[in-house]
Amino acid sequence: MATRWLDDPQGARATGRLALAGATLALVLSACGGGGVSVTDTTATGPGPGGDGGWTWSLPAGFPVPAVPADNPMSAAKVELGRFLFYDARLSGNGTQACASCHQQSKAFTDGLAVSIGSTGVPHPRNAQPLANVVYSPTLTWANPSLLTLEKQMEVPLFGDAPVEMGVNDGNKAAVLARLQAADSGYVARFAAAFPGQAEPISWANVIKAVASFQRSIISAGSRYDRFNAGTGTLTANELRGMQLFFGEKAECFHCHGSPNFNDQFAHATTRVLETPFHNTGLFNIGGTGAFPEPNRGVFELTGKPADMGMFRAQSLRNIELTAPYMHDGSIATLEAVLDFYAAGGRNIESGPHAGDGRRNPFKSDLVSRIDLNAQEKSDLVAFLKTLTDHDLVTNPKFADPFKK
């Protein structure tokens, strides 16, 4: 489910500040080893529309209790159903593409392409975003401040037509559900377990709730950096130098990548008001006007406000080693090239239809300016970024394709 460029155009406009509402969770906390915490979501306990008997978060140290919508509490049965649906190509209109086609576990739930390709072969304007720790993301796409829940966001790749992603529409909706209802699909029992007491649990609403629950379960905090931070691992000398640069005022990476998820949009169960910034990093400046290429102009596509031109969400840097190519359009191939881009304070395109000096983009964020980094410092920063790779995430059977034998 790649994010799309112009989703929900009738939705709320960019506000920069959002009040969280409707995300409630009844919690029981208990300590566990390694400085982490186990949290039981008691809202899902017992039969009912929400689940089959509860869910326990196993959260690492530094990770707060996630916010979960009150109308879709977590449950083990729902998460497991969502895992099957996530990997099932029968969920697309033409039966050729699954959510996992654009969100592959081996690539930290991205697809390795500059831009994703939908089920009908149409390219998506944007790069697939990773899903690890998405439960902490208050907004969910590159440039739409109005999509605030995974349930709402999932309607876009499922039912959207500009571009087509999963390709489900009014003409094939019933046929897709019929595939799930087939006796040999294995889904009849799974939906009944995940949504007990419902007369017809196989529905699009429940498909979306189950997949969203699975996505919320994808927690990534098993990197070498996490072990170092917990006092159970070490970093090399160049990785430590890179960490000091990252969190220091010279490189200043932490300003946009400073949360536990290494971005600057981070929300949890007790968050009430938070900032949801978007940034113009100087990737383009067509003709010196500040413009980005259509139809990929960031929050501007929704608001039409000049100040929103080229405004995109800062991506999480967790597992960044595995999620190339980079930027919203996948136009930078390597981590080294990304560092060169930020050290230069933007990108100067000297010729062609997109020619212009992004370093001088009038809408560029004040946080993006020239940084004097030598080759060793760039190497140290890349070394540190690679310590954020969570190898357990990409091999953990809990997140793996259940259809593979």
Side-chain angles (χ1 to χ4, degrees):
M1 290 180 295
T3 53
R4 57 175 289 181
W5 62 275
L6 211 172
D7 22 26
D8 191 19
Q10 301 304 314
R13 300 309 192 210
T15 62
R17 179 181 291 269
L18 300 170
L20 291 187
T24 59
L25 194 63
L27 303 169
V28 177
L29 278 69
S30 62
C32 66
V37 65
S38 293
V39 183
T40 300
D41 177 358
T42 58
T43 60
T45 300
D52 69 338
W55 171 261
T56 299
W57 295 101
S58 294
L59 300 170
F63 275 55
V65 179
V68 176
D71 63 351
N72 190 24
M74 300 289 284
S75 78
K78 206 187 303 181
V79 169
E80 184 64 355
L81 168 62
R83 184 169 72 102
F84 274 82
L85 292 168
F86 183 86
Y87 282 98
D88 198 335
R90 288 175 290 187
L91 199 58
S92 59
N94 59 16
T96 64
Q97 191 170 64
C99 307
S101 300
C102 297
H103 299 284
Q104 302 165 20
Q105 185 185 18
S106 63
K107 296 181 175 66
F109 294 96
T110 60
D111 61 7
L113 302 174
V115 295
S116 298
I117 306 296
S119 61
T120 59
V122 176
H124 194 290
R126 292 186 182 154
N127 183 260
Q129 296 200 64
L131 298 179
N133 302 332
V134 71
V135 69
Y136 293 110
S137 296
T139 72
L140 298 159
T141 67
W142 279 107
N144 189 338
S146 71
L147 284 176
L148 304 178
T149 69
L150 285 167
E151 288 80 0
K152 191 65 178 175
Q153 190 278 332
M154 190 177 170
E155 294 177 3
V156 176
L158 272 176
F159 307 127
D161 57 7
V164 171
E165 296 183 56
M166 300 288 280
V168 179
N169 53 48
D170 288 341
N172 59 34
K173 267 183 171 179
V176 174
L177 282 188
R179 295 173 196 157
L180 305 182
Q181 290 165 336
D184 61 353
S185 71
Y187 281 114
V188 174
R190 291 191 187 98
F191 272 90
F195 300 96
Q198 294 190 16
E200 297 181 359
I202 300 181
S203 67
W204 280 110
N206 286 345
V207 165
I208 288 171
K209 286 182 175 181
V211 174
S213 295
F214 170 65
Q215 291 173 320
R216 289 190 175 100
S217 77
I218 303 174
I219 298 292
S220 175
S223 68
R224 289 184 54 234
Y225 167 78
D226 292 304
R227 291 193 290 275
F228 170 80
N229 217 22
T232 59
T234 59
L235 299 181
T236 65
N238 63 323
E239 291 164 347
L240 287 169
R241 290 195 301 269
M243 183 177 72
Q244 290 168 349
L245 280 166
F246 185 94
F247 289 110
E249 289 297 338
K250 182 172 185 179
E252 297 191 293
C253 311
F254 72 95
H255 287 301
C256 295
H257 299 281
S259 77
N261 206 27
F262 286 85
N263 58 5
D264 61 356
Q265 290 198 20
F266 190 83
H268 49 83
T270 57
T271 300
R272 290 296 174 264
V273 178
L274 76 160
E275 299 292 331
T276 56
F278 293 79
H279 308 279
N280 179 327
T281 59
L283 199 62
F284 294 97
N285 183 16
I286 300 173
T289 65
F292 274 49
E294 297 184 37
N296 218 357
R297 299 173 292 179
V299 178
F300 177 86
E301 298 286 358
L302 294 175
T303 68
K305 296 178 180 177
D308 290 334
M309 176 63 72
M311 300 282 269
F312 293 90
R313 191 178 67 153
Q315 188 57 270
S316 168
L317 298 184
R318 285 192 172 272
N319 306 296
I320 196 71
E321 179 183 13
L322 306 177
T323 64
Y326 305 104
M327 318 308 278
H328 69 275
D329 57 357
S331 62
I332 301 185
T334 66
L335 276 177
E336 289 79 5
V338 171
L339 275 180
D340 288 340
F341 162 75
Y342 281 113
R347 181 170 65 179
N348 183 21
I349 301 176
E350 296 181 343
S351 62
H354 298 153
D357 191 347
R359 298 169 299 182
R360 300 181 183 277
N361 190 305
F363 308 115
K364 193 179 73 168
S365 169
D366 292 339
L367 295 172
V368 180
S369 58
R370 180 177 172 78
I371 307 168
D372 186 18
L373 295 175
N374 61 37
Q376 181 62 57
E377 289 170 327
K378 290 178 182 177
S379 174
D380 291 341
L381 274 167
V382 170
F384 171 67
L385 291 172
K386 290 182 178 180
T387 71
L388 303 179
T389 303
D390 179 356
H391 293 284
D392 179 67
L393 173 79
V394 297
T395 57
N396 192 326
K398 291 190 303 183
F399 310 134
D401 184 350
F403 299 104
K404 280 188 176 178
K405 303 297 182 184

